[in-house]
Amino acid sequence: MSQNNGNGNNHHDDFLQELHNPDVPVPENMRSAVAVTSFTKLLDSIYNWGRRNSIWPMAFGLACCAIEMIATAASRFDQARFGMEVIRASPRQADLMLVSGTVTKKMIVPIVRLYNQMPEPKYVLAMGACAIGGGPFKEGYNVVSGIDKYIPVDVYVPGCPPTPQALLHGLIMLQKKIDRQSLGNPNSTPWYGRGPGDEVPLPVLGPDVFDPRQVHVLGRQAKAAQAAADAPEAEDTTA
Amino acid sequence: MTEQAPVAETQNPTEHALGALQARFGDAVQLDNRDGYTGLIVAPEKLVEVAQAVRDQLGYDYLTSATAVDYLGKGDHLEMVYHVCRTEGGSPLVLKAQTPRDQATLPSLTGVWPAANFQEREAWDLMGIRFEGHPNLKRILLWEGFAGHPLRKDWHEAYYEEEHKPYDSRWPEGKPFRAEAFNPYGKNVQYPADFDPAAYEELAEKAIYEDVPLGVSVRHDLASERVVVSLGPQHPSTHGVFRMVVSLDGETIQALEPVFGYLHRNHEKIGERNTFLGNMPYTDRLDYICSLSNNFGYAEAVERLLATGRRWQAPTRRAEAIRVLMGELTRVLNHLFAIGFLLNDLGAYFTPMMYSLVERELILDFFEAVTGSRMMCNYFRFGGVAYDLPETMRTTAALMNDRVRDFNTMAYLDELINERLPRAIDQADEFLTQNEIVTNRCIGVGVLPKEDAIALGAGGPVLRASGVPYDVRRAEPYSLYPELEFDVAVRYHGDIYDRYLIRIDEMRQSIRILKQILGILRETEGQPFFAGTPKYNVRVPAGEAYGRVENPKGELGFYVVSDGGQNPWRYHVRSPSFINLGALETMTKGHKVADVVAILGSIDIVLGEVDR
Ligand code: SF4
């Protein structure tokens, strides 16, 4: 904060102001020291402050984008400035899955498994055109057109590969997202709900990859597709 | 420790071989006299014998590339194409064997050149050619159970639109559409009509473990149980999504089976739909650390085809100088990276890497200033390069430290090549070469004997660290290399330590080349960087070509077949990382599981290139 002249007070004031409930009057001269707020808001601010500044990514590189991810972690761009330098090899210790590269059908199975193994709260950042939608390899027969076909994604960072600056921007966006989550709102912090969350079922490598959640419709669709292909004059089958 | 490799011979290898082989095998060996083709067509029954003669009598001991082509509608056969070389140098001899499309079967050449092992499995997986006598004919890039052999011309992927790009229109009548809209499942999948997912039993994993030895090995003193461990695909030391299934006796490796395909992005299928020029950006993504030298290899291959046409102008001298500049900078960058990664694998987590990346950023800034992108440069064109070097460059680096200024490009290069890079290499040498941990863990570990290295087709630093002075830049010189002064680095022990040292040697040789290139760049300042007029759509004469360059990781080859159209009929990448992995089991057997990681690091693979 260069405009602070080094004393850091502005930042402190901003923080109090944000916390403060404007309906409660506080005398002018005490505004820099006192904020009246609700218990949840206070708790949220501490809880999220801790979480946003210690996001541990999983060491998980898929393709070309992973090289830029490594560059982001290295000294020039230095992702340690955001408390994200603790890169864990185990999904059990990780908060953030950076899907950095092309997701293939063969790889989607381990990815979903890793995602299931990460403890809540967990976040997914799709880095690069490939992870977002298949990218340059979209038509490839072994390529999944976007990781979000299987697991939920929090932040998308476009590029091929995104520059380290873009990735940092994405990580800051993730921090902003975390800031908005509130313990008072069970929808934004579902991991405190009742019971364990649902696991994402593992895709299966059959004649082509398939999602077990779709078992009941796939056979039917395959037959319909075949029938449409056999009768080319019945053009319009885009359901 | 360097040695001058012999320069290429001049006699046409095909004619020489034809005479010798026909004398012995008669009609079983024919000259391939299709227009634009070279090499010998061998009758399948005699293939193994001919191959043996080619190896033992003619001295072609090194199989570089083996791949299949589907000539659907052009004779309706599948053709296996082998490129074999002599390790003394010279251009490759091309052998071909044809087989009908249904019931495609050929004898396996793994007995003659063990390097054929993975490449034949790939041909089975993607083209559906069965190889009789192959020890382990399983799918390699896809999984067991996958429907069909995708590189066959009549196999269509789920998002199939048309045979060739450019596609007619992505917005008929002004309405854009996406491929998903035409797929009944809304995503990139398709199933055979009789497919019943509820009853499907998965084969993929089972097939991987099928022939990994399990069970109790009874030695005279103690009975220890064998354990099978799956390393990867998510593992911090597999350099991406590589997987190894190792069978351990205690901690000692008994058998190791690499599992590929976790990054199989279908380069070749996509490449055959693309236009020739449209493949250039895809080559960037093969070995994504060395995108510019991949460009080099592809340009080299297609230019060989173009050179057989009439209106072809070879790249100008300035273009060649820029190409070599890019190629050698990439080599330094790659080797710095490789050494950083190797140290990572030895347990020096990320610190040496940080140092490698400092210099890498300087090189990337230069790439960005010249080509517009840090990593995916897409810079080479058939006949030259896309742009000249800019006079000045302003880099984002300059914005992040206090030296916010425009650099004169040549001055920047001067400093980079004469000071920064040599200093970084010396620094790595000083801190690592005598480091006790490095020496203890590397000397004598993961030895690849010379004979095995040649037989398994290992290339690049892996081959040269085993005492074979084979370097494409000297064996079959291209571009400006004949006139440049440099030595082929060679080391003789074939262990991890030598593979580390050879990278240091090679970087020093690269600096030597780069210094000469600086002079040529100054000399050619202002001269054209492209011969002729740049065209979006190049007409490539029908025929085949195999272009190869010495990539930092080994010999990168592109086998391109053109039928005279806008798109390659066949586009195959002979990737050094993939074939170098064939030597992994030999290197690791008998070592401890912790060494596997270091051995893998010393081969230096990039998954984008392994799986393609
Ligand atoms: S988005 Fe581009 S750089 Fe990233 S993995 Fe895909 S092809 Fe590679």
Side-chain angles (χ1 to χ4, degrees), chain A residues 59-60 64 67-68 76 89 102 104-106 136 138-143 145 160 206-209 221-222, chain B residues 143 147 159 165 180 185 188 190-191 234 260 262-266 282 285 357 360-361 365 374 376 397:
Chain A
F60 180 60
C64 346
I67 305 295
E68 285 298 54
R76 182 174 176 188
T102 318
T104 62
K105 291 177 184 171
K106 212 168 168 178
K138 182 175 159 181
E139 312 120 83
Y141 48 85
N142 191 27
V143 174
S145 28
C160 182
D208 206 330
V209 74
Q221 277 174 334
Chain B
W143 58 90
Y159 281 170
K165 283 179 192 162
E180 284 96 318
Y185 310 98
N188 193 5
Q190 60 188 357
Y191 309 98
Q234 146 67 7
F260 303 94
Y262 290 96
L263 193 53
H264 179 44
R265 304 192 277 195
N266 329 120
Y282 281 86
R285 288 155 180 83
L357 285 171
R360 177 178 184 261
E361 289 293 335
D365 280 345
R374 281 160 56 85
M376 304 304 174

Side-chain angles (χ1 to χ4, degrees), chain A residues 17-229:
Chain A
Q17 234 163 53
E18 220 172 88
L19 215 55
H20 182 67
N21 178 356
D23 299 341
V24 183
V26 170
E28 185 77 45
N29 55 357
M30 288 175 73
R31 288 229 175 113
S32 65
V34 174
V36 181
T37 185
S38 69
F39 180 65
T40 10
K41 241 181 149 182
L42 182 64
L43 207 57
D44 279 348
S45 72
I46 297 167
Y47 177 66
N48 288 338
W49 171 81
R51 290 192 312 132
R52 78 200 287 277
N53 293 316
S54 64
I55 299 174
W56 291 7
M58 184 161 64
F60 180 60
L62 289 180
C64 346
C65 282
I67 305 295
E68 285 298 54
M69 188 179 82
I70 294 171
T72 314
S75 47
R76 182 174 176 188
F77 298 100
D78 197 10
Q79 129 190 348
R81 291 176 292 162
F82 304 92
M84 296 178 189
E85 78 279 23
V86 195
I87 296 169
R88 308 315 294 181
S90 162
R92 306 273 184 208
Q93 301 169 334
D95 306 307
L96 169 65
M97 181 191 257
L98 277 154
V99 185
S100 53
T102 318
V103 184
T104 62
K105 291 177 184 171
K106 212 168 168 178
M107 193 61 201
I108 185 70
V109 186
I111 292 180
V112 172
R113 185 177 289 134
L114 288 167
Y115 178 77
N116 285 338
Q117 286 174 349
M118 284 168 64
E120 292 273 18
K122 57 187 167 192
Y123 301 92
V124 177
L125 185 147
M127 176 183 184
C130 284
I132 294 174
F137 299 98
K138 182 175 159 181
E139 312 120 83
Y141 48 85
N142 191 27
V143 174
V144 171
S145 28
I147 184 71
D148 56 5
K149 297 272 190 298
Y150 292 89
I151 57 177
V153 174
D154 297 276
V155 180
Y156 296 87
V157 181
C160 182
T163 56
Q165 292 94 329
L167 179 61
L168 285 178
H169 179 72
L171 291 169
I172 293 167
M173 287 296 130
L174 179 67
Q175 290 190 324
K176 292 202 168 147
K177 173 163 183 160
I178 291 176
D179 278 340
R180 286 202 305 274
Q181 293 180 322
S182 163
L183 289 166
N185 175 2
N187 284 335
S188 76
T189 51
W191 50 90
Y192 290 121
R194 239 185 275 138
D198 286 340
E199 288 208 336
V200 179
L202 292 185
V204 184
L205 293 175
D208 206 330
V209 74
F210 67 88
D211 194 332
R213 289 175 289 196
Q214 297 180 328
V215 160
H216 57 287
V217 292
L218 285 183
R220 242 181 12 240
Q221 277 174 334
K223 281 212 185 69
Q226 191 68 34

Side-chain angles (χ1 to χ4, degrees), chain B residues 228-258:
Chain B
V228 173
V229 180
S230 169
L231 283 165
Q234 146 67 7
H235 188 282
S237 299
T238 54
H239 296 218
V241 287
F242 182 57
R243 178 175 174 195
M244 296 169 277
V245 174
V246 288
S247 154
L248 300 174
D249 182 353
E251 261 197 82
T252 311
I253 309 279
Q254 296 285 321
L256 178 146
E257 173 154 352

